[in-house]
Amino acid sequence: MDRQAVNHTLQELAAVLELRGESAARVRVVQRVARSEILATGRSTALDELREQVPPGLVEMLRIPSLGVTKVRQIHEALGIESLAELEAAAADGRLAALPRFGAKTAETVLRGIAFLRQATGVRLFHHAREEIEAVRLALGELEGVLRVEIAGAVRRRCEVIGRLDLIAAHADAAARDALIHRLGQAPGVTEIGGQAGAITLRFASGTVVDVLLTTRERFGFDWIRATGSAAHVTALEARARAAGISLEASFPDEASVYRAIGLPWVPPELREAGDELDAAAAGRLPDLVARADLRGFLHCHSHYSDGTVTIAEWAAACRAAGYEWVGITDHSQSSAYAGGLRAEDVARQHAEIAALNARTVGTRVLKGVEADILADGTLDYGPDVLDRFDFVIGSIHSRFGMSEDEMTRRVLTAMDDPRLTILGHPTGRLLLQREPYAIDLERVLRTAADRGIAIEVNADPHRLDLDWRMVRRARELGVMVSIGADAHSTAGVANVAIGLGIARKGWLEPADVLNTRDAEGFLAFARQRRAVTA
Ligand SMILES: [Zn+2]
Ligand SMILES: [Zn+2]
């Protein structure tokens, strides 16, 4: 690591510590320790661990040129903002300007900073991209001459990070198209319009760049497929059309009519990637994808017993309101000191609270879970006696990310030897656009999970989306049970599930592949069976 990279890492470490409210003296001590570690190993375990404890959106905000630690903390504390998208909304609607020592000018600088960040990086997380494109879609839908406008591209395919933003818009005829292009150029916030006749690029003052494919109602079906991609999917589809002697220039008002003409069922956008999904479609082997209505249980959430902001009663109410039959509370375990992990002596108190709640409420049953740290030697935090008191256990790695692949794989396999482990949490530890996954032999981990009846998590935090969908597909091939974990720290995190569901669908999962589709008894039976078989 060169000197500049070392300094950069140390600066980020200091910023994260300050975001947590640590004193300047403490920051210097940690930096000193970290410096020698970084020089020796090329990375900082302390930073990796700290990143777990601070909402990732706050670290993103620090990259906005005009915002320092003090301002980011102030924004977080006063407005409860944890993401760039929320910050952008607050800068636009006046809440940011109203904060002490901010004002309209600062709010404007922040908006420009967010735009700068978007252009500088070019890729953003799925949930940011979806908010961005949905705002543009709604705006274009208001324009005269737009008959229909839909999201296409990687957002529609539910990719985890998004480069381009794509829309498709239908107009009446060629004359209407020219009028529409003129109107688009004049639309609010548009600073530049480029591209050629049918495929235009809009640049907005906010920094957003959107590609819009213009089409007619008659051609909407195939053009929506083209604009959605992937390139491999479209190429494979065109090859099949050619082989069948079908002209894709014909009139196809909707996507299903295109696939039907080629003798295929409609292929859900999440599956349109490598092109082999068309072979599965042709053979009648497309999965019957899991949907929101199939999910009965809400898993992986943190209450105020650790680093969540929500009481257990509030979790039960939020999950009932969202239509779940059961909720598995999983606070951090005692070794996660930074996350205020649940001390062994507080477990009984938490369980009594859950029992009392279950006795007096109907609608949503609360299950006693825990997110136990997988310690460096692969043992689960707390040990068997305490773990046996929980209904189920998610085991996760929150420390020592820098191990070799051999060491890390051995560590996780050791944890999987423990019959109390029900679910392996965020199995690669990645933070999208922030931290690479740790080195681990996932194939071995997945095979072991299939053998032992351990579920693998698709962590639905939009900064994680871990397990990666490509490996979700592999997990399904191996017969691994998958659990969709919200990893929610506030009730806003209930919305994570829809994002995780996109990844589950992208990994070809059917309802039977997903643990959350079981009723509470079915879920508990899964955990019990695991303990019984291997104990
Ligand atoms: Zn975790
Ligand atoms: Zn968690």
Side-chain angles (χ1 to χ4, degrees), residues 271-503:
L271 301 184
R272 300 180 198 169
E273 289 293 339
D276 64 336
E277 60 277 3
L278 289 177
D279 302 331
R285 287 187 290 99
L286 277 186
D288 180 12
L289 294 180
V290 60
R292 173 61 185 83
D294 299 317
L295 302 184
R296 305 170 79 167
F298 184 85
L299 273 166
H300 196 159
C301 54
H302 298 270
S303 79
H304 68 138
Y305 275 92
S306 66
D307 59 348
T309 58
V310 185
T311 67
I312 290 172
E314 285 165 344
W315 268 129
C319 288
R320 187 167 51 243
Y324 292 103
E325 294 170 19
W326 53 274
V327 45
I329 305 278
T330 55
D331 277 303
H332 283 292
S333 60
Q334 58 189 2
S335 290
S336 269
Y338 276 115
L342 185 64
R343 291 172 310 166
E345 57 265 37
D346 292 331
V347 171
R349 191 164 58 87
Q350 189 192 47
H351 288 183
E353 186 178 330
I354 290 174
L357 189 69
N358 281 333
R360 70 165 189 272
T361 49
V362 276
T364 293
R365 180 162 163 201
V366 181
L367 305 183
K368 299 170 292 190
V370 64
E371 183 179 13
D373 271 38
I374 296 174
L375 304 177
D377 64 359
T379 55
L380 293 174
D381 204 4
Y382 289 132
D385 292 353
V386 175
L387 289 182
D388 272 336
R389 290 153 61 190
F390 291 93
D391 293 326
F392 71 100
V393 177
I394 299 178
S396 301
I397 286 184
H398 294 122
S399 62
R400 302 281 307 276
F401 298 91
M403 291 182 164
S404 71
E405 180 174 323
D406 271 0
E407 289 172 324
M408 189 59 94
T409 306
R410 210 172 317 125
R411 177 182 181 185
V412 170
L413 292 179
T414 301
M416 295 172 94
D417 282 340
D418 191 321
R420 289 155 198 88
L421 182 79
T422 322
I423 299 166
L424 179 65
H426 43 74
T428 75
R430 75 175 182 190
L431 288 177
L432 292 165
L433 308 179
Q434 268 184 68
R435 184 175 70 207
E436 291 296 309
Y438 41 71
I440 187 164
D441 183 347
L442 269 181
E443 177 72 17
R444 270 188 80 183
V445 169
L446 293 180
R447 283 180 182 279
T448 307
D451 265 12
R452 303 265 171 92
I454 297 171
I456 297 283
E457 183 177 68
V458 166
N459 189 290
D461 178 334
H463 296 87
R464 293 186 182 271
L465 300 180
D466 178 14
L467 190 63
D468 186 279
W469 59 267
R470 298 159 189 85
M471 291 308 288
V472 173
R473 202 175 157 186
R474 178 70 187 138
R476 177 174 184 250
E477 283 170 3
L478 293 170
V480 177
M481 179 61 75
V482 170
S483 151
I484 298 177
D487 207 351
H489 291 73
S490 67
T491 48
V494 171
N496 287 357
V497 172
I499 299 172
L501 190 65
I503 296 299

Side-chain angles (χ1 to χ4, degrees), residues 33-335:
V33 176
R35 179 187 296 276
S36 45
E37 190 197 352
I38 294 166
L39 291 174
T41 68
R43 59 189 298 162
S44 162
T45 312
L47 179 58
D48 284 339
E49 288 178 21
L50 280 162
R51 277 188 181 138
E52 290 284 317
Q53 321 301 342
V54 173
L58 298 189
V59 182
E60 278 173 8
M61 283 182 217
L62 285 176
R63 288 159 53 214
I64 297 172
S66 53
L67 290 183
V69 170
T70 316
K71 282 213 162 81
V72 170
R73 281 192 70 185
Q74 189 187 351
I75 291 166
H76 180 49
E77 279 158 23
L79 301 175
I81 283 173
E82 293 195 347
S83 74
L84 278 188
E86 289 168 345
L87 179 63
E88 187 173 27
D93 69 16
R95 276 177 295 150
L96 194 66
L99 287 183
R101 295 187 307 281
F102 272 75
K105 216 163 173 173
T106 306
E108 241 170 70
T109 316
V110 165
L111 275 179
R112 272 204 307 278
I114 295 174
F116 169 80
L117 214 63
R118 288 215 176 98
Q119 277 166 342
T121 54
V123 285
R124 61 286 235 192
L125 299 172
F126 169 80
H127 68 307
H128 294 165
R130 192 181 51 183
E131 276 185 49
E132 222 178 322
I133 189 87
E134 179 62 8
V136 176
R137 189 186 75 82
L138 290 173
L140 296 196
E142 299 284 305
L143 289 184
E144 192 193 330
V146 173
L147 305 178
R148 181 181 179 188
V149 54
E150 299 286 354
I151 291 173
V155 172
R156 184 165 181 238
R157 299 203 317 277
R158 321 269 321 193
C159 295
E160 65 276 33
V161 291
I162 307 292
R164 269 175 60 147
L165 300 177
D166 291 276
L167 289 175
I168 179 169
H171 53 75
D173 52 19
R177 184 182 73 192
D178 293 343
L180 177 59
I181 291 175
H182 180 75
R183 245 174 264 124
L184 284 169
Q186 315 276 312
V190 173
T191 55
E192 208 182 312
I193 177 165
Q196 324 128 341
I200 59 166
T201 301
L202 298 177
R203 283 179 188 280
F204 291 81
S206 63
T208 296
V209 179
V210 179
D211 289 299
V212 188
L213 184 64
L214 298 178
T215 187
T216 57
R217 278 194 191 282
E218 294 72 39
R219 297 185 50 94
F220 201 87
F222 183 56
D223 278 342
W224 200 10
I225 293 173
R226 281 206 302 142
T228 299
S230 67
H233 178 85
V234 175
T235 304
L237 192 70
E238 285 169 337
R240 278 178 183 269
R242 257 196 315 278
I246 305 291
S247 166
L248 294 171
E249 300 300 312
S251 168
F252 295 110
D254 56 50
E255 288 188 335
S257 60
V258 179
Y259 290 100
R260 206 182 309 121
I262 307 172
L264 299 174
W266 177 75
V267 178
E270 296 94 329
L271 301 184
R272 300 180 198 169
E273 289 293 339
D276 64 336
E277 60 277 3
L278 289 177
D279 302 331
R285 287 187 290 99
L286 277 186
D288 180 12
L289 294 180
V290 60
R292 173 61 185 83
D294 299 317
L295 302 184
R296 305 170 79 167
F298 184 85
L299 273 166
H300 196 159
C301 54
H302 298 270
S303 79
H304 68 138
Y305 275 92
S306 66
D307 59 348
T309 58
V310 185
T311 67
I312 290 172
E314 285 165 344
W315 268 129
C319 288
R320 187 167 51 243
Y324 292 103
E325 294 170 19
W326 53 274
V327 45
I329 305 278
T330 55
D331 277 303
H332 283 292
S333 60
Q334 58 189 2
S335 290

